[in-house]
């Protein structure tokens, strides 16, 4: 157990204790940095299955299914996997989008640095014009997990990165100046919470305005606040219909994707 994995184990145990009896976890999804036996062993110690990625040049082998030689230990490793010539029997899906063909293969394979067989999904993309191709190796310790589910679960990891990106770019995760444990916790939680709130609000608006972005949302909120504060200074408030039109007009001034105003003041 490396120091890095030891820290992750501590966080993982704290999370499992926190959600015990509320949410049941089955898989631990980690990026390619953790595509090794040590990380797999860590996950299994917590009764979780690991989903991760192997190096594209990882040496994988089919299990040996030939006859016993009659002496010595039974042979374990069969033919080495050739990524440019994977047997068709392992092909689970083929799709074509434009000139890019995607083929998904799944097999239980062996790696000499892992103590157990791996459920490996090989995604091969081929440019039909140039015949250039590239592949990605995803794997799980759960030998029963379907290829489509394995790919979907690994894809969820990117959503976590997108959330952190949005929290830093839009909601102050990168800029807060708190130094106390409570202050840091509150600032980080508020930033990530605002990512969820913004996503929910943008989803509603995008039904009628597909280009609506987080910057547009922030501009709208700023505009609404400015108008409300200005209206409070007037001796008489305008009629609700006029007030709504002013809000829409002023709030849209700072947007990246300008909306069409419903009223003109010219």
């Amino acid at each position: 157990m490396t120091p890095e994995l030891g820290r992750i184990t501590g966080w993982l145990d704290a999370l499992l204790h926190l959600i015990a009896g509320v949410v049941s976890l089955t898989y631990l999804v980690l990026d390619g940095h953790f595509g090794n036996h040590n990380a797999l062993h860590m996950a299994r110690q917590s009764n979780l299955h690991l989903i991760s990625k192997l190096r594209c040049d990882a040496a994988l082998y089919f299990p040996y299914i030939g006859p016993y030689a009659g002496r010595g230990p039974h042979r374990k490793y069969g033919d080495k996997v050739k990524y440019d010539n994977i047997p068709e029997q392992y092909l689970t899906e083929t799709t074509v989008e434009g000139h890019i063909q995607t083929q998904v293969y799944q097999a239980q394979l062996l790696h000499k640095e892992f103590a157990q067989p791996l459920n490996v999904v090989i995604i091969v993309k081929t440019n039909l014009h140039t015949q250039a191709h590239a592949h990605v190796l995803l794997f799980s310790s759960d030998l029963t997990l379907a290829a489509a589910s394995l790919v979907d679960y690994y894809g969820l990891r990117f959503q976590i990165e997108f959330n952190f990106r949005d929290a830093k770019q839009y909601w102050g995760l990168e800029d807060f100046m708190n130094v106390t444990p409570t202050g840091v916790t509150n600032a980080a939680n508020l930033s990530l919470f605002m990512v969820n709130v913004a996503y929910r609000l943008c989803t509603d608006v995008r039904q009628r305005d597909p280009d609506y972005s987080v910057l547009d949302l922030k501009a709208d909120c700023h505009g609404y606040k400015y108008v409300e504060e200005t209206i409070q200074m007037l001796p008489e408030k305008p009629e609700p219909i006029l007030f709504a039109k002013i809000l829409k007009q002023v709030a849209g001034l700072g947007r990246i994707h300008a909306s069409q105003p419903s009223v003109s003041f010219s």
Side-chain angles (χ1 to χ4, degrees), residues 11-237:
W11 299 332
L12 185 59
D13 289 343
L15 174 64
L16 293 175
H17 177 74
L18 179 65
I19 65 176
V22 180
V23 178
S24 177
L25 294 185
T26 304
Y27 301 102
L28 174 64
V29 183
L30 300 174
D31 64 18
H33 175 71
F34 298 97
N36 53 64
H37 169 69
N38 292 338
L40 188 149
H41 182 64
M42 175 197 70
R44 296 305 297 142
Q45 281 186 323
S46 299
N47 294 318
L48 298 174
H49 284 292
L50 177 66
I51 295 176
S52 186
K53 182 172 71 171
L54 295 168
R55 289 169 52 102
C56 63
D57 59 349
L60 294 172
Y61 298 84
F62 294 104
Y64 179 71
I65 56 175
Y68 176 53
R71 62 182 183 277
H74 289 268
R75 183 176 174 182
K76 181 178 181 181
Y77 300 98
D79 295 333
K80 187 176 181 180
V81 177
K82 298 179 180 178
Y83 300 114
D84 58 350
N85 187 24
I86 305 174
E88 289 293 324
Q89 68 190 80
Y90 300 107
L91 180 64
T92 63
E93 182 183 3
T94 300
T95 58
V96 178
E97 293 185 8
H99 62 280
I100 301 299
Q101 174 182 271
T102 302
Q103 295 174 296
V104 179
Y105 299 84
Q106 184 176 31
Q108 292 187 18
L109 302 175
L110 302 176
H111 191 295
K112 292 185 177 181
E113 295 182 2
F114 288 81
Q116 68 169 71
L118 302 176
N119 180 4
V120 180
V121 172
I122 307 172
I123 304 174
V124 180
K125 289 186 176 290
T126 304
N127 187 318
L128 299 178
H129 292 169
T130 64
Q131 294 304 309
H133 63 271
H135 65 271
V136 173
L137 306 178
L138 306 181
F139 77 94
S140 174
S141 56
D142 182 0
L143 302 182
T144 64
L145 184 61
S149 297
L150 197 158
V151 173
D152 287 342
Y153 293 163
Y154 188 79
L156 292 175
R157 187 186 66 82
F158 289 97
Q159 186 59 54
I160 298 174
E161 295 188 4
F162 295 153
N163 287 350
F164 273 96
R165 178 202 63 188
D166 290 348
K168 291 189 292 184
Q169 182 175 352
Y170 302 121
W171 305 113
L173 183 62
E174 195 171 40
D175 305 321
F176 67 84
M177 303 300 291
N178 307 72
V179 295
T180 63
T182 300
V184 171
T185 298
N186 291 341
N189 286 341
L190 179 60
S191 298
L192 292 169
F193 173 71
M194 285 305 301
V195 172
N196 293 333
V197 172
Y199 178 82
R200 181 65 182 85
L201 295 175
C202 287
T203 299
D204 290 339
V205 181
R206 283 171 183 160
Q207 295 179 10
R208 61 180 185 275
D209 190 354
D211 295 328
Y212 195 76
S213 68
V214 176
L215 291 177
D216 297 328
L217 174 65
K218 295 181 72 173
D220 281 347
C221 292
H222 287 156
Y224 278 36
K225 182 63 175 177
Y226 298 154
V227 170
E228 288 180 349
E229 292 295 328
T230 303
I231 294 299
Q232 294 295 330
M233 299 172 62
L234 298 178
E236 294 184 8
K237 294 184 180 181

Side-chain angles (χ1 to χ4, degrees), residues 254-265:
R255 288 183 51 172
I256 303 299
H257 304 96
S259 61
Q260 294 295 329
S262 58
V263 63
S264 175
F265 292 94

